[in-house]
Amino acid sequence: MPHPRGDLLPDCTRAAITAAAADIAEVVHIALHPDAKPGPVIGVYLAFDSLRAAEAAALDIWDAARCRHAYLRNWELVRAEVPIMPIMPGYDG
């Protein structure tokens, strides 16, 4: 969802999310799409055995980043979606 004041999600958000996820071994990749419509998208790719664990970890990562970085506190998580993706051949995570 766009920021209420029209602010853009800062480029340093990816680094903030990455730092908040540093202790989670199941994190595969983090992507930031600040210009997505209707609002910015943060992609957190996780390799968990269950949907529930992946969703919980993604929410925990967002909460930790917001707690550590004041500039994220005015942003609201509108929804969290976890698509099921097959493990790619050669992935050893």
Side-chain angles (χ1 to χ4, degrees):
M1 170 169 245
H3 194 276
R5 293 189 313 251
D7 296 348
L8 293 177
L9 196 60
D11 289 337
C12 56
T13 301
R14 183 178 182 277
I17 299 292
T18 300
D23 294 335
I24 302 174
E26 291 83 2
V27 173
V28 175
H29 179 68
I30 296 173
L32 178 64
H33 305 281
D35 298 330
K37 302 295 182 204
V41 173
I42 300 169
V44 181
Y45 298 84
L46 304 158
F48 278 97
D49 291 333
S50 78
L51 182 61
R52 181 172 289 180
E55 288 174 339
L59 293 172
D60 288 346
I61 291 167
W62 172 249
D63 288 341
R66 286 186 72 209
C67 286
R68 294 178 190 166
H69 302 279
Y71 66 87
L72 291 176
R73 292 187 189 138
N74 290 325
W75 288 88
E76 178 185 348
L77 179 65
V78 175
R79 71 177 185 256
E81 298 173 347
V82 182
I84 304 299
M85 299 172 65
I87 299 292
M88 296 178 355
Y91 175 74
D92 63 358

